[in-house]
Amino acid sequence: MKLASGIGGLGQIVIASERERVERLGCLDPTEVVRRGAVVEPDLRDARTWSIGQLHIGRLRASYFGIQRTTRDRHGADVYGGSSITLVRGGFDALEPHVAGDASLRRAIGFASVYHDAAFASFEGIFASRCNYDVVQGRDADGVERTGVLEQSWRVGGASAAELAALHALRDEPAREKASAETVELHCADPELPEGAFVHFRGVDEHVGPITKYARLLDDADA
């Protein structure tokens, strides 16, 4: 359970029993729930979150798939730690040759594509240069595998720096069909950085404390 006003992975509560559910819901501020809402959803085991997206910049359209990672914040909690993506020229269908052997990833791309098409069909004339979808997969309490689109992001997001790095590679090499990149978030002020890392934030965030964010282009062998 999480209030809609929560930031990132912060403020989430795992409810273990019906009694706890009643207690937790009873502790919510009614005014906050009415104004902003709250989310209650199954807690998935062995969950992983895919980043599926599409970019449209000038004449260049490209789509990508990737995986999110978690890291530990200064309090020891699991939080978003970055994304690794592979960007391919074309629409979502252009991803198929690159994921043919991964049924789970194909399912995630399919869910994101359906969500994407439905959203654009609902808003006539809409344009978004960046469309990112977080797709989670895992098993519920009964062991049933679940897949769902957590949210859409049509703005700058956690994977944006990796997207830009990969876009630059495609722009600079017109014959290149794909490029892989990653963005990493580390909850410390002065971490050791790999070769080729471009730091786009290093400082103290008012919500999470010291944090360093960087992106880098990956070799195909590292993707």
Side-chain angles (χ1 to χ4, degrees):
M1 183 178 71
K2 178 181 177 181
L3 288 172
S5 57
I7 299 174
L10 304 177
Q12 298 183 113
I13 300 170
V14 177
I15 298 173
S17 66
E18 176 65 16
R19 178 179 178 180
E20 185 180 2
R21 182 187 69 84
V22 174
E23 292 176 350
R24 292 288 190 180
L25 290 175
C27 292
L28 294 179
D29 181 351
T31 302
E32 178 75 7
V33 174
V34 170
R35 288 183 59 197
R36 300 182 179 179
V39 176
V40 179
E41 60 187 23
D43 181 42
L44 300 182
R45 301 171 182 173
D46 301 321
R48 57 180 173 177
T49 304
W50 299 101
S51 289
I52 312 295
Q54 190 170 119
L55 309 170
H56 196 169
I57 310 295
R59 296 181 178 180
L60 177 59
R61 183 170 66 136
S63 301
Y64 65 84
F65 61 87
I67 194 75
Q68 295 185 14
R69 69 179 67 86
T70 59
T71 188
R72 298 280 187 177
D73 68 8
R74 58 178 172 164
H75 303 298
D78 286 330
V79 295
Y80 176 73
S83 300
S84 299
I85 67 166
T86 295
L87 185 72
V88 179
R89 294 181 188 272
F92 286 122
D93 57 334
L95 300 177
E96 175 63 26
H98 303 278
V99 301
D102 192 327
S104 294
L105 178 51
R106 289 181 66 192
R107 188 180 306 113
I109 293 171
F111 271 57
S113 180
V114 169
Y115 191 111
H116 177 85
D117 291 343
F120 273 69
S122 300
F123 300 97
E124 184 177 356
I126 188 174
F127 173 79
S129 59
R130 178 193 192 247
C131 299
N132 171 271
Y133 305 97
D134 292 344
V135 183
V136 68
Q137 290 179 333
R139 298 188 181 278
D140 64 17
D142 297 321
V144 178
E145 184 173 339
R146 303 274 189 173
T147 299
V149 179
L150 293 176
E151 62 176 346
Q152 87 289 338
S153 175
W154 297 342
R155 52 167 173 72
V156 174
S160 291
E163 296 163 12
L164 288 173
L167 274 174
H168 274 284
L170 295 186
R171 183 200 64 181
D172 294 343
E173 301 179 50
R176 187 171 185 168
E177 287 299 316
K178 70 172 184 175
S180 298
E182 69 173 354
T183 182
V184 178
E185 299 189 7
L186 301 171
H187 287 251
C188 51
D190 191 25
E192 183 176 347
L193 301 176
E195 183 178 354
F198 171 76
V199 177
H200 53 92
F201 183 83
R202 175 183 284 154
V204 179
D205 181 275
E206 62 176 317
H207 298 292
V208 302
I211 187 170
T212 300
K213 302 182 181 183
Y214 71 84
R216 64 174 181 143
L217 194 66
L218 299 174
D219 294 332
D220 289 340
D222 297 328

